[in-house]
């Protein structure tokens, strides 16, 4: 089995499906998956990733220990998963320190271009007739624009909701510990 499949299995067993899935869904997903599998192998003393997964499946104690270890190393895994966003922000800081106006403003021009292109595209597919043969293409392009382009622009300028979801997960964990 590949590391991503094993990491997703571990995620399900530990109840961290959403968190680990979010990490694996990023650009550095395979690195995060490998790190999660390494953690599981260390905790279980399993020889292969498959053996580690099997040991975790068979023991609720190992599941809880693995869950706690992953949560304790959350910052490290979070940084690994989202390293590319931070490097883009650092690149923008460097661009702002230059004297060239175009370099300073490039990211804003880029964001404006895609914002205007998105509005025009949405307006066109909403108010103009689309041939039946092109409907699937229009839907695919719209999904790409809304899911990738707009989300990336908003994430770059305004951050994301990872901090809020982390706060909610900590509260859920604290609540479950109180119940036990």
């Amino acid at each position: 089995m590949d590391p991503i499949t094993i990491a997703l299995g571990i995620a399900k067993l530990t109840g961290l499906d959403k968190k680990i899935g979010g990490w694996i869904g990023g650009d550095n997903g395979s690195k995060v998956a490998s790190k999660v599998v390494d953690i599981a192998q260390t905790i279980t003393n399993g020889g292969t990733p498959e053996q580690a997964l099997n040991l975790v499946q068979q023991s609720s104690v190992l599941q809880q220990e693995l869950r706690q270890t992953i949560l304790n190393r959350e910052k490290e895994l979070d940084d690994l998963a989202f390293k590319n966003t931070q490097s883009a922000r650092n690149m923008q800081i460097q661009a702002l320190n230059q004297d060239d106006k175009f370099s300073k403003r490039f990211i804003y021009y880029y964001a404006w271009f895609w914002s205007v292109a998105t509005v025009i595209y949405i307006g066109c597919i909403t108010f103009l007739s689309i041939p039946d043969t092109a409907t699937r293409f229009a839907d695919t392009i719209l999904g790409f624009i809304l899911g990738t382009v707009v989300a990336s622009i908003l994430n770059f300028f305004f951050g994301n909701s990872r901090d809020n979801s982390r706060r909610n997960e900590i509260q859920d964990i604290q609540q479950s510990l109180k119940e036990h």
Side-chain angles (χ1 to χ4, degrees):
M1 267 189 257
D2 67 298
I4 291 178
T5 304
I6 294 171
L8 290 174
I10 290 168
K12 186 170 181 129
L13 291 169
T14 58
L16 297 172
D17 314 45
K18 188 175 176 183
K19 178 177 289 305
I20 293 174
W23 289 331
I24 291 174
D27 291 341
N28 298 328
S30 60
K31 290 179 184 176
V32 174
S34 294
K35 183 62 88 175
V36 169
V37 171
D38 289 345
I39 292 169
Q41 285 178 287
T42 301
I43 287 175
T44 61
N45 293 321
T48 66
E50 290 83 4
Q51 289 172 334
L53 179 60
N54 289 334
L55 290 170
V56 171
Q57 285 174 331
Q58 296 168 6
S59 170
S60 61
V61 172
L62 285 175
Q63 290 172 12
Q64 192 61 29
E65 186 179 347
L66 184 56
R67 176 185 171 85
Q68 191 60 45
T69 302
I70 290 171
L71 289 173
N72 288 341
R73 295 181 68 180
E74 181 177 8
K75 173 134 178 53
E76 173 189 348
L77 293 166
D78 207 41
D79 290 345
L80 181 62
F82 300 106
K83 183 185 333 187
N84 61 338
T85 303
Q86 187 58 44
S87 64
R89 289 185 178 138
N90 290 339
M91 182 180 71
Q92 180 60 16
I93 290 169
Q94 292 297 324
L96 290 172
N97 289 330
Q98 295 180 15
D99 291 332
D100 181 19
K101 283 187 179 185
F102 182 78
S103 295
K104 280 185 175 185
R105 298 178 183 166
F106 174 77
I107 197 71
Y108 303 107
Y109 296 145
Y110 186 75
W112 269 105
F113 168 78
W114 278 109
S115 298
V116 170
T118 299
V119 169
I120 290 170
Y121 184 79
I122 291 172
C124 288
I125 67 165
T126 303
F127 299 112
L128 300 177
S129 63
I130 301 170
D132 289 337
T133 56
T135 303
R136 280 189 42 222
F137 295 112
D139 290 342
T140 302
I141 293 168
L142 179 63
F144 172 76
I145 287 173
L146 294 177
T148 305
V149 175
V150 173
S152 296
I153 291 170
L154 292 175
N155 183 29
F156 182 83
F157 286 106
F158 300 109
N160 58 33
S161 61
R162 276 186 297 158
D163 293 335
N164 290 335
S165 65
R166 181 170 167 11
R167 215 176 353 263
N168 292 341
E169 287 176 23
I170 290 171
Q171 290 172 351
D172 291 344
I173 291 168
Q174 289 172 342
Q175 182 64 30
S176 70
L177 291 174
K178 286 178 187 176
E179 292 172 359
H180 287 79

